[in-house]
Amino acid sequence: ARPRVLERCVGGRERTRMPGDLRSRRIIWIHLHKFAGTTMCKLAGDQLEVVPGNNCNYASDLCSQSDVRQQVACQARIDSTNFTFSAIERALADADLNCSDAIYGIILRDPMAAIQATLVQNRFSVVESRRILNSIKQRRRPMIYSEERVNGHHACLPAWDTYQHVDNFVTRTLGGDYDARPGDVSEYELNAAKAVLEKIHVVIILEELAEHAVQLEHAFGWHLEPSSIPVMNSHKVDFHLFNEDEQAFVRATNALDYELYAFGRALAAARSRSARRALQRATPC
């Protein structure tokens, strides 16, 4: 195994931050479920960040954690003497975002691709998927049957966390009302989600990952080669649970997430341009 030693000078310029150094600013990664969070956790470890287990989730603050007593807010994360990088894989709360000493990052992806990845990789059956679709059409929460309440039925997702992934998931996650009833996410949550994105230092688009990797170099001090970016949980998703009419309905339902995605793409492009300019001005070594 290679020694865990980092050089401060890489690529002819000095790092902006020393990964894995407990004196460095902590990174808090906003892990939207099925948005390459596992890839980022693996990449953080490869870059010698000190990361927690459980897919970089912190202590009891695991996938879709809704119990506020088990959630770990940003202050505890930046005060940690154990980790330099951790992830939040649940709906965001104000206490997650109010730490000016933290560096925040997020990946966005095409909403339809994310929906399909979640339904397939979290093992939603065709029956369950169509029940979710009907619940959105009827604007009521879907029925949850006893066999679906078994722990692990949908991998890490709890039994209650279903339709949210098909109905403007990102707007829900960032916008402050994750558990809104089907069809109830509004422009209010969209504007709140946009405001959250603007606070995040690193905004990357999964479909344009190589283009935006410069942000990781600038904000995190990571040194990346194109071949060093791993792809985890990248199972080929070619099983369409919905017919063409149903897919059109899902796309229309997620109009807010598509608007947020477009907003995020513009923001990511701006962040990457800024990062390139900053690295060009970096101290040579």
Side-chain angles (χ1 to χ4, degrees), residues 139-183:
R139 302 176 71 93
R140 67 183 186 188
R141 300 181 195 276
M143 181 75 71
I144 303 173
Y145 293 95
S146 58
E147 64 270 19
E148 297 164 6
R149 298 182 183 276
V150 176
N151 187 40
H153 179 70
H154 291 142
C156 76
L157 298 181
W160 58 265
D161 195 9
T162 59
Y163 70 88
Q164 294 91 337
H165 293 265
V166 186
D167 179 6
N168 295 292
F169 168 68
V170 181
T171 303
R172 289 173 177 273
T173 302
L174 305 184
D177 194 6
Y178 186 76
D179 203 35
R181 293 172 64 88

Side-chain angles (χ1 to χ4, degrees), residues 55-151:
N55 209 20
C56 287
N57 292 320
Y58 197 111
S60 58
D61 197 354
L62 303 176
C63 169
S64 297
Q65 180 61 262
S66 59
D67 184 346
V68 295
R69 298 168 298 179
Q70 301 298 321
Q71 294 175 357
V72 181
C74 66
Q75 191 61 52
R77 293 168 184 263
I78 67 172
D79 289 343
S80 170
T81 57
N82 297 316
F83 306 115
T84 60
F85 178 105
S86 64
I88 299 175
E89 193 177 358
R90 56 164 169 78
L92 292 186
D94 289 343
D96 297 318
L97 299 166
N98 58 11
C99 292
S100 59
D101 289 337
I103 306 174
Y104 292 93
I106 194 170
I107 285 181
L108 303 175
R109 72 183 299 188
D110 178 85
M112 285 293 286
I115 290 167
Q116 187 164 287
T118 297
L119 293 179
V120 172
Q121 295 173 23
N122 286 94
R123 303 189 296 272
F124 284 81
S125 69
V126 173
V127 171
E128 290 174 306
S129 300
R130 290 220 161 92
R131 191 191 318 143
I132 290 170
L133 210 60
N134 287 332
S135 78
I136 296 171
K137 292 176 180 178
Q138 297 166 9
R139 302 176 71 93
R140 67 183 186 188
R141 300 181 195 276
M143 181 75 71
I144 303 173
Y145 293 95
S146 58
E147 64 270 19
E148 297 164 6
R149 298 182 183 276
V150 176
N151 187 40

